Each structure stands twice: as C-alpha cells, then as structure tokens.
Amino acid sequence: MAEKSEVNRFHPIRKALSREAAPAAMMEFTFERALCEQLIWRRGAHLWQDERARISTLLEGSKRAGFGAAVLAVSDAALIDVLRREADGMGLVCGPSEMLNPSEKYVRAVSEIAQTADAVVLQGTFDADEGLVREQLYYLRAACETAHKAGKQVIFADRSADPLLPEKLAELPVDGLLLTEGYGFSTEDAIQHYGGRFCLLGRTDFFRLAEMSPMELIRNAARLWELCGGKGYIFGTGDMHGRPLPYLTFISMIAAVNRLK
C-alpha cells in the first residue's frame, strides 16, 4: 500500500513533466524559513543547523503544504534513501547542493542522485563569458542525459540575475524549466511561447504575489491553468532566494490549486 501511495502522490508532477494532462499540482523550490516554520508549527535555529536538519525541515514543510513532491538539494545521494522513510508518499525531487559547474565530477554526482530520486533538479548561474557558457551547456546536457538513462526527468533552475533565454536551452534534454522573476516575460507569455517545449514551474511575478487578494490568486491560477490546457505546468511562487511571503498569500495559492484538482 505504501508504494501505491507514493506513486499516486507524485503522479501529477511526473505527468506534468512529460507535458501530459494531469491534476493541478504545486511544489516549492525555496521556502522562506519563517514561512516553513509556520507551516510545521515549530521554530528554532536547530531546524536549520546542518544539512540533515535543513532538508528534514523542508521536507516536512512540503508535506504540510500538501505538495506531491519536495525539492531538496543534497550533498550526498545516500541521504535520499534516509529521506524516503520520512516522505510519507511524496516524490523526492533532488539535485546536487552545488551549482552546475563544468566537470565530470558534477555529472557523476547527478548520476548518483538519479538512482534514487524521483526526478532531478539542476541549478546553475551562467557566466558572462560565451566560451564558459558553452562549456556549462555541454555539462548540463551530459547531466540531463545521465539522469534520463536512470529513467528520471530533469528540471533546470537558472539562478542567474539575467537568465539564459529558454531558446538557448531548447535543444537540451531538459524536461522542466523553473520560471522566476529574472525572466523578462510574464508567466502567461511563458506558457504560450515555451509550454510546447518545457514543463513550466512557478511564475515570473513573485513581487506581485503579496499584493494579490485571495480571490485574485484564485482567478489568476484558473487563468494559468486554462492557458496551459491542464498540462505541462506546475504551480509555485517562483522564489529562488527564500524571500518573505505572507502566510495568507501562500495558503491562498495552495487553496487556488486545490480548487483546480
């Protein structure tokens, strides 16, 4: 029964990453500490004192939010099996704790994580030097390919202040692309222009969320879901930096997604 629960909880996200029709789903790449602590009803520096404590706290926050998966950066792939016992049927979307860098060591780390994670997330900050960007893209491709060999889908999160345009990533075997406010286009434009190539996660207007009322968030979620045709989109704030977000805003987003299921 436990295996069936795990498949069912992660199923909408797996289907969305394949750009297939699936129930609406939400997951977060970065929880602000205070928000996560409010979700789990516990506070204190001990929740964040080391990697093991940090990822357990983030995992519990994802469970309390009702997500189908937790996004976790790990320095050791062996941690994933330990986390599995705490996941309560959620999927584990994991990636290296270090940023994408041009090295075979990075690709090996991704390969190890892909053996036990449910999907792989890669993060990078691209250099201004075109030659280095080409090298980074080469290793990004290699990392994607090794994850795919393990049968796992790949999400890429560009942490650059000025992210590469999705066109530059279009020929790479990336399944999902995290939207953040670093991109110079709206979430609606992203769905219309890039939804046919990538599963899109998050949104490009994090700065607007705190200004939106619960009903505005509900209407906005319904519009995004209509635009994507119920496939290839996973809801989230698009926050990559752990910035504050009102608890009511976050809970309203969860409620908006649940209304679409």
Side-chain angles (χ1 to χ4, degrees):
M1 292 297 292
E3 272 188 31
K4 184 176 180 183
S5 172
E6 181 175 333
V7 170
N8 288 343
R9 292 282 302 272
F10 188 61
H11 176 74
I13 291 172
R14 191 193 309 278
K15 297 281 280 186
L17 287 170
S18 299
R19 300 191 310 284
E20 300 175 22
M26 181 177 175
M27 64 183 189
E28 274 301 289
F29 273 69
T30 308
F31 272 123
E32 186 230 347
R33 288 190 179 191
L35 175 60
C36 190
E37 290 175 353
Q38 197 165 359
L39 284 168
I40 67 175
W41 288 72
R42 297 200 314 279
R43 298 188 185 280
H46 67 285
L47 297 172
W48 312 96
Q49 64 185 358
D50 55 31
E51 181 179 19
R52 183 67 180 83
R54 175 182 60 79
I55 58 181
S56 290
T57 300
L58 293 172
L59 181 64
E60 187 173 354
S62 296
K63 282 194 291 186
R64 292 294 182 94
F67 297 157
V71 183
L72 303 166
V74 297
S75 63
D76 182 354
L79 283 170
I80 299 173
D81 282 331
V82 177
L83 294 170
R84 183 74 64 189
R85 296 193 290 269
E86 304 174 11
D88 194 27
M90 277 196 312
L92 297 177
V93 179
C94 301
S97 54
E98 63 178 313
M99 296 287 186
L100 170 68
N101 60 67
S103 71
E104 294 295 339
K105 179 182 176 184
Y106 182 87
V107 177
R108 285 196 300 273
V110 172
S111 179
E112 291 172 2
I113 287 169
Q115 300 306 311
T116 49
D118 295 295
V120 175
V121 58
L122 307 177
Q123 303 178 69
T125 301
F126 286 102
D127 195 273
D129 180 84
E130 281 293 326
L132 184 54
V133 168
R134 285 194 296 271
E135 192 174 10
Q136 288 174 301
L137 292 175
Y138 171 84
Y139 281 98
L140 177 58
R141 174 184 290 277
C144 289
E145 289 174 348
T146 195
H148 285 163
K149 284 179 183 177
K152 306 301 166 62
Q153 296 155 310
V154 180
I155 300 164
F156 183 65
D158 192 337
R159 284 184 170 271
S160 307
D162 186 17
L164 287 181
L165 287 174
E167 286 85 351
K168 280 228 174 188
L169 297 171
E171 295 182 6
L172 298 178
V174 172
D175 302 290
L177 182 65
L178 178 67
L179 298 177
T180 70
E181 64 189 82
Y183 292 101
F185 44 74
S186 69
T187 308
E188 290 83 354
D189 286 343
I191 291 172
Q192 291 176 329
H193 291 104
Y194 306 116
R197 168 58 187 87
F198 304 101
C199 170
L200 301 171
L201 304 90
R203 53 195 300 145
T204 60
D205 60 349
F206 175 84
F207 63 93
R208 285 188 56 233
L209 288 177
E211 301 172 359
M212 298 170 71
S213 70
M215 286 309 301
E216 286 174 321
L217 288 166
I218 288 170
R219 288 193 294 268
N220 180 257
R223 170 166 168 73
L224 294 178
W225 196 239
E226 181 181 7
L227 278 175
C228 75
K231 58 184 180 181
Y233 182 69
I234 298 173
F235 289 91
T237 66
D239 181 25
M240 288 289 286
H241 306 291
R243 290 167 298 177
L245 187 70
Y247 183 72
L248 177 60
T249 298
F250 192 72
I251 295 301
S252 297
M253 290 186 70
I254 294 172
V257 175
N258 287 339
R259 287 170 66 111
L260 297 169
K261 292 181 179 179

